[in-house]
Amino acid sequence: MSTRYAGIAWTGAGYRVEVLDGAGDGSDHGAAARVAEPSEWGAAQVAELIEWLRELGRGQPLAAVFDSTNGLLDGPLTAAGLDVYRADPWQLPPRPRFGSVPAYRLAELACGDPGALTRVTAEGGTLTGRADEYFDGVRRGEPAREALTAAGRCVEHGSRDTPRIALTFDDGPDPVHTRRVLEILERYGVRATFFCVGHHVAALPDEVRRIVAAGHEVGNHSWSHPYLPDLTPDQLREQIDRTTEAVARVTGEPPTRFRPPYGALNPEVLGTLAEHPSTLTLWDVDSRDWSRPGPGRIAETVLDATGPGSVVLMHEGAGDRAQTVLALPSIIEGLLERGLEPVTLAELPMHGRSIGEHSGEHSGEHSGEHSGEHIGEHSGEHSGEHSGEYEGS
């Protein structure tokens, strides 16, 4: 029995899906046959998309295919038990400045040469099979990242002399988990920073408004959570700027911080980011919640590694984040018992002043500003001290 392949492309409005049958007979000498009419899905309709794909796969094997600029679906699709494959840039036609390779091309490649694709695993995430490349890029980028840090352009943690820490949440907003996280933060009277993806901001603006209304900070986490080294400089800038504009339309304030998906910072990516006004914002504590090890393990990982000035990486979007939600009360209680106050990144002191003051000084120097992690998400999400996650950030 042949396999059906669902090519899934992201657009500014959501997802476009084309399903082809690998057995062919869609006309030209056995070309792949279209199984269903092309369909469009909003970014907030991932659950409905998954159910539709499951239904298509009930009588015949079906696999989903996307490219490396789509880092928002691997978690939900693999968690739902679907087979997921990634097509890499060297196998595909050029992408547009904004958007992925067309869905038809993704499905067509899978039908014609399924062995060329990489099967995505829950453990490896979007960047399954590219770990060596990822870590090599991060290693080569270390000098440039250190230079940005010295110039106040890159932040991994705050001052170690003040008992404040920053809880940060990536990949939202989410129609379910964002609200649950906000309820817990309100219960304990603490503030956090949410690094949102533009794809979700555009689909769920009310959730972003709730974040801001509750006194939390919003940062930029790209539009589609791509693997940045696969983007051209123009495509990278478009990802950041479109997200900045989307957040500004909803909140009235453009985000000034950018967190790179997967912490994927090779020299070429850092060169582009060095010319952009956003403050590169990383972390020094990786909760590894993207691996879903259980609420107790998530809380233990955070509390064992967090100290004054820490920036903690967690997730509330692009997947099942129920374990993060369950772990959060224990994390906050443990931090407060140790005298560590969770604050926004803007309120986190850094070398005698807040990170907010520092990044504000920098942004003032750039008068032309616009008003935007699996290799594990975040495979580690960078390397070295961040070596636990290249998947979920």
Side-chain angles (χ1 to χ4, degrees):
M1 183 178 294
S2 62
T3 298
R4 294 172 169 177
Y5 292 98
I8 306 179
W10 67 267
T11 68
Y15 299 105
R16 180 178 175 85
V17 182
E18 295 241 21
V19 185
L20 303 181
D21 191 327
D25 220 20
S27 66
D28 296 344
H29 307 293
R34 179 172 277 142
V35 173
E37 287 301 309
S39 56
E40 306 283 345
W41 303 81
Q45 293 181 295
V46 173
E48 292 88 342
L49 170 58
I50 288 173
E51 194 52 44
W52 183 74
L53 291 172
R54 278 175 160 170
E55 197 61 39
L56 276 180
R58 290 197 191 282
Q60 187 172 345
L62 179 139
V65 186
F66 50 75
D67 71 14
S68 63
T69 67
N70 185 348
L72 299 173
L73 290 179
D74 59 286
L77 293 181
T78 55
L82 293 169
D83 289 336
V84 180
Y85 291 85
R86 186 192 69 242
D88 290 311
W90 52 88
Q91 302 167 316
L92 296 165
R95 294 183 305 274
R97 182 184 177 98
F98 187 68
S100 65
V101 170
Y104 183 87
R105 294 299 182 193
L106 293 166
E108 183 181 51
L109 172 65
C111 289
D113 190 7
L117 304 179
T118 299
R119 182 166 184 170
V120 173
T121 67
E123 297 75 23
T126 312
L127 299 183
T128 298
R130 296 182 70 177
D132 289 346
E133 172 194 343
Y134 167 88
F135 285 113
D136 177 67
V138 170
R139 178 187 57 77
R140 290 185 294 107
E142 283 295 328
R145 185 158 68 90
E146 290 172 0
L148 286 175
T149 300
R153 296 291 319 282
C154 177
V155 172
E156 293 185 18
H157 60 77
S159 170
R160 301 303 193 186
D161 299 324
T162 305
R164 286 185 166 189
I165 66 95
L167 298 176
T168 67
F169 297 89
D170 286 9
D171 299 351
D174 180 87
V176 175
H177 300 303
T178 298
R179 199 169 305 188
R180 292 176 178 171
V181 168
L182 290 174
E183 289 170 353
I184 294 170
L185 295 174
E186 181 179 17
R187 184 192 317 162
Y188 289 95
V190 301
R191 291 178 298 280
T193 301
F194 291 77
F195 283 93
C196 299
V197 289
H199 205 57
H200 293 163
V201 172
L204 297 164
D206 287 344
E207 298 303 323
V208 181
R209 294 187 184 98
R210 286 189 180 93
I211 291 172
V212 175
H216 306 292
E217 185 177 356
V218 174
N220 185 327
H221 197 39
S222 80
W223 186 273
S224 67
H225 206 285
Y227 181 51
L228 301 185
D230 283 351
L231 303 182
T232 67
D234 282 347
Q235 289 168 343
L236 172 52
R237 285 188 286 267
E238 197 77 2
Q239 286 266 340
I240 300 173
D241 294 345
R242 292 265 192 142
T243 302
T244 291
E245 292 162 5
V247 172
R249 279 196 300 271
V250 173
T251 68
E253 292 289 336
T256 60
R257 309 178 195 289
F258 173 66
R259 173 169 283 173
Y262 315 105
L265 297 172
N266 67 11
E268 294 74 24
V269 169
L270 285 162
T272 300
L273 294 177
E275 299 172 351
H276 197 277
S278 295
T279 298
L280 186 58
T281 306
L282 307 174
W283 61 90
D284 66 330
V285 176
D286 178 2
S287 69
R288 294 187 60 83
D289 59 346
W290 53 267
S291 65
R292 297 191 290 275
R297 177 60 63 85
I298 294 170
E300 180 182 9
T301 297
V302 172
L303 293 174
D304 283 351
T306 302
S310 286
V311 175
V312 181
L313 169 66
M314 294 185 284
H315 303 85
E316 35 79 55
D320 181 1
R321 307 306 186 187
Q323 291 187 9
T324 303
V325 173
L326 291 172
L328 190 54
S330 296
I331 290 172
I332 295 174
E333 290 172 10
L335 294 171
L336 294 176
E337 287 171 2
R338 300 177 189 188
L340 295 173
E341 178 190 8
V343 297
T344 65
L345 281 164
E347 299 167 320
L348 187 66
M350 189 180 80
H351 307 306
R353 51 186 169 176
S354 73
I355 288 179
E357 290 169 348
H358 197 285
S359 62
E361 288 177 9
H362 167 67
S363 64
E365 297 168 359
H366 296 268
S367 58
E369 307 162 27
H370 38 258
S371 321
E373 335 241 77
H374 286 304
I375 265 187
E377 157 214 6
H378 310 198
S379 95
E381 262 180 319
H382 346 92
S383 66
E385 59 194 298
H386 306 289
S387 68
E389 182 193 3
Y390 49 67
E391 183 232 6
S393 117

